[in-house]
Amino acid sequence: MKRRCAVYGAGVMLAMIFSCSRGTREQPTPDIPPAPPAPAVTTAGGYEAATVTDGGSVGGTITLSGPIAKLPVRKIGKDPQVCGTAARESQKLIVNKTGGLKNALVIVEGVKRGKAMADATQNAEIDQNKCEYIPHLQVMALNSEISLRNSDPILHNIQFFQGDNSLFNIAQPVQGQVTKRKIDKAGTLYVECAVHGWMQGNVVVVDNPYYAVTDENGKFSIADLPPGKYQVKIWHEYAGEVRREVTVSAKTTTALEADLKDLLAAKASPPPTATGGDANAKPAANEIVVQMHEVPGSAGAMFRFDPPELTIKVGTTVKWVNTSGEEGPRHTSTDDKEWETPQTPAVLPPGAEKWRTPFLQNGQSATYTFKVPGKYQYFCETHGPYGMLGTVTVSP
């Protein structure tokens, strides 16, 4: 009797389990609402990062048509054990056989909300490797830090220019040294090594992620752009910049082709000088020209004022002309104590006014008229610590 009860009880239990199991399988699956979109995140520059579900894209080719003069090679004249001795091709104008322009930046302006900034843009780096800036053109996010790395076993002195002003100037004598700097203003920055003048590059600070750098064929693509009408800026370090208007539709690609030949043609005119005159003009009777250029030295190429010493009379004007060549660095002339260093003390006679020229590019010039007798010692802000000093003795 007990055995039959046990069997019966076991049967009932199995039936209940089977019944519950069937009931579970036959219950309808409830609808699960989709996860809400991620909230917008506002960056320090005012741009809002949010999910883009109906974005379109802009893509095309940036070209330079017609005859293109090859830029001069860059001469290597210092630290041959690391930099080598062979001349290097210019990096300022790289065009393939079909006219595709490398390293043109295409950026959509005025975008306030869209996809998030890429990690690479927020953690940008310039590596000084074998006496070259890698990459030659770097893009970084506004209000982020850029890492400046010296991978060479020699001194590099990296300088950032914002327009005509020096943003910062950092000596890095140790291999593996990394310095970080925050940039809080959007735009283009010029980069130069004060020790190795052929080391030149560019950094573009962007306030939104909708940009692209053209490849070796001049091609680019910008994806996930919210639909709308936009102004697109095309910038190239040598050719210049232009703007185009595009209308972007959801989930479609808008073609953008641009030939910068007109910009290149405009560069055929002589470059303006800092004082608005002609750098090649014959000096006036009371004007003396000092060249700012590179001259060979025992330790390699050095930057100098030529002539480095002047003896003049009161009322004489000195005209400084940068003759470093197309691939040469920028120079200044100043006797302002604000910019002096222990290696470059500013010397002014009592009652004399200090002066500071802009950063002069190749072919540009600036002048200063000496009105107070005495001895002056001046320098280049960038290259003064490396020997670029001059003296002027003014007699009544």
Side-chain angles (χ1 to χ4, degrees):
M1 182 70 177
K2 288 182 179 179
R3 186 169 180 272
R4 270 193 293 181
C5 287
V7 171
Y8 175 78
V12 172
M13 184 65 69
L14 287 170
M16 290 176 63
I17 293 172
F18 180 74
S19 175
C20 291
S21 171
R22 283 186 61 194
T24 302
R25 284 199 302 268
E26 292 174 356
Q27 289 295 321
T29 303
D31 292 332
I32 301 175
V41 178
T42 303
T43 65
Y47 175 81
E48 290 186 1
T51 302
V52 179
T53 59
D54 60 348
S57 61
V58 177
T61 307
I62 308 303
T63 58
L64 273 175
S65 65
I68 299 171
K70 189 175 181 179
L71 297 184
V73 296
R74 295 175 292 154
K75 295 180 180 180
I76 310 303
K78 192 172 178 64
D79 297 315
Q81 73 280 12
V82 176
C83 307
T85 58
R88 302 181 185 183
E89 295 293 326
S90 173
Q91 294 179 310
K92 293 181 179 179
L93 186 61
I94 303 175
V95 185
N96 72 1
K97 293 181 180 179
T98 60
L101 179 62
K102 184 179 180 180
N103 282 338
L105 179 82
V106 184
I107 182 166
V108 184
E109 297 185 308
V111 185
K112 298 300 182 183
R113 194 173 193 272
K115 65 182 179 181
M117 287 278 189
D119 289 342
T121 313
Q122 299 187 80
N123 298 282
E125 179 181 275
I126 291 179
D127 187 13
Q128 299 159 96
N129 195 322
K130 293 182 174 58
C131 305
E132 204 72 273
Y133 288 136
I134 302 174
H136 176 72
L137 172 59
Q138 180 61 280
V139 182
M140 64 178 291
L142 178 66
N143 290 313
S144 68
E145 289 185 326
I146 186 168
S147 297
L148 310 172
R149 180 183 301 276
N150 182 7
S151 292
D152 291 334
I154 55 175
L155 167 69
H156 286 305
N157 193 144
I158 190 167
Q159 186 169 18
F160 273 43
F161 293 87
Q162 201 165 48
D164 290 329
N165 297 316
S166 176
L167 194 61
F168 52 79
N169 193 336
I170 301 170
Q172 293 183 304
V174 180
Q175 185 175 25
Q177 183 176 350
V178 177
T179 308
K180 295 186 176 182
R181 285 292 185 271
K182 183 179 179 180
I183 309 295
D184 58 6
K185 183 178 179 181
T188 57
L189 305 173
Y190 168 73
V191 185
E192 181 184 293
C193 179
V195 182
H196 309 92
W198 68 85
M199 288 179 63
Q200 301 172 15
N202 300 275
V203 172
V204 180
V205 186
V206 298
D207 57 9
N208 75 71
Y210 294 104
Y211 71 89
V213 178
T214 56
D215 63 16
E216 62 274 6
N217 297 312
K219 296 188 178 299
F220 75 95
S221 180
I222 302 172
D224 300 320
L225 184 60
K229 184 177 290 186
Y230 298 99
Q231 287 289 321
V232 177
K233 180 171 74 173
I234 303 166
W235 175 87
H236 184 264
E237 64 174 303
Y238 184 79
E241 68 179 52
V242 294
R243 282 175 169 78
R244 298 285 189 269
E245 186 177 273
V246 298
T247 299
V248 177
S249 301
K251 299 181 179 180
T252 61
T253 298
T254 300
L256 176 58
E257 312 288 334
D259 186 346
L260 306 187
K261 63 178 181 179
D262 292 341
L263 291 179
L264 199 61
K267 290 186 69 66
S269 302
T273 68
T275 54
D278 182 358
N280 298 313
K282 185 178 179 179
N286 63 337
E287 184 177 85
I288 294 179
V289 173
V290 174
Q291 297 185 63
M292 311 157 88
H293 59 185
E294 198 170 298
V295 295
S298 59
M302 302 295 289
F303 306 110
R304 293 287 185 265
F305 293 110
D306 186 15
E309 299 178 359
L310 292 175
T311 299
I312 61 176
K313 291 185 176 294
V314 167
T316 302
T317 297
V318 175
K319 179 179 182 179
W320 291 275
V321 182
N322 186 340
T323 56
S324 292
E326 182 66 47
E327 294 292 332
R330 302 182 182 193
H331 296 298
T332 69
S333 165
T334 184
D335 207 350
D336 188 339
K337 287 186 175 293
E338 181 181 349
W339 304 99
E340 70 179 0
T341 67
Q343 303 93 340
T344 58
V347 177
L348 283 164
E353 295 181 350
K354 62 186 179 182
W355 80 85
R356 181 186 180 216
T357 72
F359 283 90
L360 304 174
Q361 302 178 48
N362 178 54
Q364 292 185 326
S365 67
T367 61
Y368 179 77
T369 300
F370 290 82
K371 301 176 182 178
V372 177
K375 184 175 182 179
Y376 300 74
Q377 179 171 281
Y378 66 94
F379 52 90
C380 172
E381 290 176 38
T382 300
H383 306 107
Y386 307 102
M388 193 169 180
L389 292 88
T391 60
V392 180
T393 302
V394 182
S395 60

